[in-house]
């Protein structure tokens, strides 16, 4: 193999790595992929063009790359990333760029970045969203780390990224682990949106008794309006998919109701707790996945904790309108919580995030792409220091318009015994956020009563303690 022939290298030729590398090749760059599985390296060459090469040995892979070398890793997060770095590092030269494109925890990225600084190897942590299809034809890319290192790979990433109105869905986000952090929060918002859609479906199916065909048409109509998004679009598609294995019915009805997760939603909730930022819709989504895993217990409880569902008497067409508005309301709140977390994390970790840019690169390629992101991008463009999206002039008016329908759907869920934790979390967050006074004064009194934790007063500064119940 000739040396220094290829523009870009990929370690890991699984579904995502292979497809992203082929995408880069289609964008006009020569590429080489490394995988110790010879069949994957061979398959890459068969699927690619003349500018695509597969390799199984790290030495030949590294030698074949032009300097400064641009090497991306798309391997499972965790110790495997460290193993790849350890194997490649002795083969790299000063100024080479190593890119982690997996869902690494942001603290791991910080650790690796610090270790590689001494080796004079540039390191980027980059979020990649869009799944198999996005990797192949244009993902949303969220890079963080060295600005100088990003400039080296920028032409390749801009060529391979999804495009919206001709603009690539990639931009430099910020220092250190900014890219991985933004991707983690992206996934947290994704959890929230998926949960909200599932709750609306549950009301349609169990509460209203709609058929799969009716649910398909409802989500299809919604995707032509304000709720237009990738997740609403694929939800509509799911309800028309036949069950070819059984030969009758629809596939969605045969899928076991136990949701799995890879941990990024949980990470988002954990970090938000650490930073003191409420993201209740995302928290509810994570909890709901855990609850779904208790299948055996839920089946037992259904026989003991019986709920008699009263018939839904409301007009179905009217209810669909309320359901649409409830979903739209909670969707805005879910994005607001995620963006509030990004704002706080940027200040805490000195990322330097531009939230308008974050919304901009989420408009295409990624799983949470949606029409709403145009409004979110505009909100932060006009008010970069906006504390919360719910304070934006346009979105605040919209939330007030949608609120009553969201309340009616939440009430219907309670009457029907249909769990809607995501919607209820969104409503509680909205009501709490707009409350000038909350009952936390009682909480502080209780804390001082049993633990002498002190409290503050509304009429003078300082901290106070009371010897309660002494009179």
């Amino acid at each position: 193999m000739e040396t220094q022939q290829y523009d870009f290298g990929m370690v890991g030729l699984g579904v995502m790595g292979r497809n992203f590398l082929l995408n880069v090749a289609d964008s006009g760059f020569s590429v080489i992929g490394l995988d110790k599985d010879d069949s994957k390296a061979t398959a890459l060459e068969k699927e690619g063009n003349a500018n695509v090469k597969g390799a199984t040995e790290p030495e030949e892979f590294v030698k074949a790359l032009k300097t400064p070398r641009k090497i991306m890793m798309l391997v499972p997060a965790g110790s495997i990333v460290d193993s790849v770095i350890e194997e490649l590092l002795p083969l790299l030269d000063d100024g080479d760029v190593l890119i982690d494109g997996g869902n690494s925890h942001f603290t791991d990225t910080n650790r690796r970045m610090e270790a590689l600084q001494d080796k004079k190897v540039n390191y980027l942590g980059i979020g990649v969203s869009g799944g198999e299809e996005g990797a192949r034809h244009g993902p949303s890319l969220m890079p963080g780390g060295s600005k100088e290192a990003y400039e080296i790979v920028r032409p390749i990433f801009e060529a391979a990224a999804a495009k919206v109105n001709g603009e690539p869905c990639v931009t430099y986000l910020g220092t250190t682990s900014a890219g991985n952090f933004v991707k983690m929060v992206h996934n947290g918002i994704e959890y929230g949106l998926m949960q909200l859609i599932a709750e609306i479906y549950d009301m349609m199916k169990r509460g209203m008794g709609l058929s799969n065909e009716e649910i398909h048409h409802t989500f299809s109509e919604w995707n032509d309006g304000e709720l237009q998004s990738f997740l609403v679009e694929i939800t509509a598609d799911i309800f028309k998919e036949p069950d070819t294995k059984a030969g009758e019915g629809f596939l969605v009805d045969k899928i076991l109701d136990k949701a799995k997760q890879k941990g990024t939603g949980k990470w988002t909730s954990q970090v938000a707790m650490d930073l003191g930022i409420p993201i209740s819709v995302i928290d509810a989504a994570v909890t709901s996945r855990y609850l779904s895993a208790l299948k055996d217990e839920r089946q037992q409880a259904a026989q003991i904790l019986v709920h008699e569902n009263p018939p839904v008497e409301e007009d179905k067409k009217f209810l669909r309108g309320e359901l649409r508005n409830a979903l739209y309301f909670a969707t805005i709140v879910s994005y607001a919580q995620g963006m509030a977390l990004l704002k706080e994390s940027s200040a805490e970790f000195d990322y330097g995030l531009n939230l308008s840019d974050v919304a901009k690169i989420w408009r295409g390629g990624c799983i949470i792409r949606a029409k709403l992101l145009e409004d979110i991008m505009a909100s932060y463009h006009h008010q970069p220091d906006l504390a919360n999206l719910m304070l934006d002039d346009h979105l605040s008016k919209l939330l007030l318009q949608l609120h009553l329908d969201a309340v009616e759907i939440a009430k219907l869920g309670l009457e029907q015994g249909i769990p809607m934790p995501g919607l209820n979390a969104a409503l509680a967050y909205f009501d709490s956020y707009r409350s000038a006074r909350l009952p936390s004064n009682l909480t502080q009194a209780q804390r001082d009563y049993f633990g002498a934790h002190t409290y503050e007063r509304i009429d003078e500064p300082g901290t106070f303690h009371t010897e309660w119940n002494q009179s």
Side-chain angles (χ1 to χ4, degrees):
M1 183 182 296
E2 296 183 25
T3 60
Q4 298 192 355
Q5 180 179 350
Y6 296 94
D7 299 312
F8 186 76
M10 175 67 71
V11 179
L13 298 178
V15 172
M16 290 293 290
R18 183 186 74 254
N19 279 292
F20 186 79
L21 197 59
L22 292 171
N23 176 5
V24 173
D26 288 346
S27 301
F29 298 93
S30 57
V31 302
I32 182 169
L34 172 66
D35 200 296
K36 292 185 177 180
D37 185 337
D38 184 66
S39 64
K40 290 182 179 179
T42 302
L44 173 71
E45 292 188 5
K46 288 182 178 179
E47 193 173 349
N49 56 37
N51 289 325
V52 177
K53 179 68 178 176
T56 57
E57 295 297 330
E59 291 81 1
E60 63 168 336
F61 168 76
V62 171
K63 287 181 180 179
L65 286 162
K66 297 175 183 176
T67 55
R69 299 177 181 90
K70 296 165 280 291
I71 300 173
M72 185 169 179
M73 301 174 287
L74 267 171
V75 298
S79 60
I80 294 179
V81 178
D82 292 311
S83 297
V84 172
I85 293 173
E86 184 178 354
E87 188 169 32
L88 291 179
L89 196 55
L91 306 172
L92 301 180
D93 295 324
D94 291 357
D96 288 347
V97 182
L98 197 54
I99 307 153
D100 178 10
N103 282 325
S104 289
H105 195 278
F106 72 99
T107 56
D108 286 336
T109 299
N110 289 335
R111 170 177 56 80
R112 292 164 185 148
M113 214 166 272
E114 185 176 349
L116 289 172
Q117 280 181 345
D118 297 336
K119 307 293 183 182
K120 297 184 179 179
V121 171
N122 294 303
Y123 195 79
L124 293 173
I126 176 168
V128 181
S129 180
E132 178 181 355
E133 182 72 13
R136 185 66 183 84
H137 300 291
S140 173
L141 300 173
M142 302 160 235
S146 162
K147 183 68 161 59
E148 292 73 16
Y150 173 69
E151 288 300 320
I152 295 172
V153 299
R154 181 171 61 83
I156 294 174
F157 282 172
E158 288 186 349
K163 310 294 188 301
V164 174
N165 300 326
E167 297 178 311
C169 292
V170 59
T171 191
Y172 175 75
L173 290 177
T175 60
T176 60
S177 57
N180 289 116
F181 197 99
V182 169
K183 176 56 164 51
M184 179 189 69
V185 175
H186 164 286
N187 286 15
I189 296 172
E190 177 186 309
Y191 271 55
L193 300 181
M194 292 173 70
Q195 175 65 27
L196 293 168
I197 292 171
E199 292 172 13
I200 297 299
Y201 148 66
D202 201 14
M203 179 60 74
M204 289 181 181
K205 189 76 169 180
R206 286 201 289 162
M208 299 168 60
L210 297 186
S211 67
N212 287 336
E213 292 93 338
E214 289 174 309
I215 298 173
H216 159 70
H217 287 300
T218 299
F219 277 104
S220 293
E221 289 175 3
W222 291 356
N223 195 52
D224 290 332
E226 294 87 349
L227 279 171
Q228 186 278 320
S229 68
F230 174 73
L231 285 172
V232 170
E233 177 186 350
I234 67 168
T235 299
D237 289 344
I238 285 168
F239 287 103
K240 68 178 182 180
E241 188 72 23
D243 182 10
T244 55
K245 187 176 182 66
E248 60 180 1
F250 293 88
L251 178 58
V252 68
D253 297 324
K254 305 295 175 61
I255 297 175
L256 183 64
D257 56 322
K258 291 173 65 173
K260 297 182 179 179
Q261 53 188 316
K262 292 187 174 179
T264 48
K266 179 183 71 174
W267 292 350
T268 309
S269 289
Q270 288 173 331
V271 172
M273 289 286 184
D274 291 339
L275 296 178
I277 302 299
I279 55 167
S280 53
V281 178
I282 297 169
D283 295 340
V286 174
T287 297
S288 294
R289 293 201 188 189
Y290 288 133
L291 266 168
S292 77
L294 304 177
K295 177 68 172 178
D296 293 340
E297 293 180 43
R298 289 190 289 113
Q299 288 180 315
Q300 183 181 4
Q303 304 303 315
I304 299 171
L305 306 173
V306 179
H307 183 276
E308 297 293 338
N309 290 16
V312 176
E313 297 179 353
E314 288 88 344
D315 178 73
K316 289 184 178 180
K317 184 176 182 181
F318 178 76
L319 264 182
R320 282 178 179 146
E322 288 192 325
L323 285 167
R324 177 197 61 223
N325 290 345
L327 179 57
Y328 196 17
F329 172 90
T331 295
I332 296 171
V333 173
S334 185
Y335 277 106
Q337 292 181 352
M339 299 305 277
L341 175 57
L342 287 179
K343 179 177 176 60
E344 179 63 25
S345 67
S346 183
E348 179 71 19
F349 303 128
D350 198 25
Y351 285 148
L353 294 178
N354 180 318
L355 296 185
S356 181
D357 282 348
V358 173
K360 180 179 179 180
I361 65 173
W362 282 352
R363 294 177 303 157
C366 73
I367 303 301
I368 65 170
R369 61 185 184 265
K371 183 178 180 180
L372 177 61
L373 283 161
E374 295 286 350
D375 291 334
I376 295 174
M377 180 180 71
S379 296
Y380 285 113
H381 178 73
H382 294 302
Q383 300 181 78
D385 295 326
L386 185 66
N388 191 296
L389 278 173
M390 297 195 304
L391 299 177
D392 173 75
D393 185 60
H394 168 66
L395 291 176
S396 62
K397 290 183 173 65
L398 189 55
L399 286 167
L400 288 170
Q401 292 169 9
L402 301 168
H403 175 251
L404 288 181
D405 283 345
V407 170
E408 289 303 313
I409 294 301
K411 287 164 60 177
L412 185 61
L414 292 171
E415 292 169 1
Q416 291 288 312
I418 294 175
M420 308 191 86
L423 176 59
N424 283 298
L427 284 165
Y429 178 83
F430 178 78
D431 285 333
S432 296
Y433 194 76
R434 66 174 179 166
S435 293
R437 184 170 175 84
L438 289 169
S440 303
N441 54 316
L442 176 58
T443 304
Q444 285 299 90
Q446 291 169 331
R447 294 179 70 246
D448 190 58
Y449 191 116
F450 65 69
H453 293 298
T454 74
Y455 55 86
E456 295 173 277
R457 295 181 59 91
I458 61 174
D459 53 359
E460 61 179 295
T463 57
F464 301 87
H465 168 63
T466 295
E467 294 295 332
W468 298 86
N469 200 27
Q470 297 298 308
S471 59

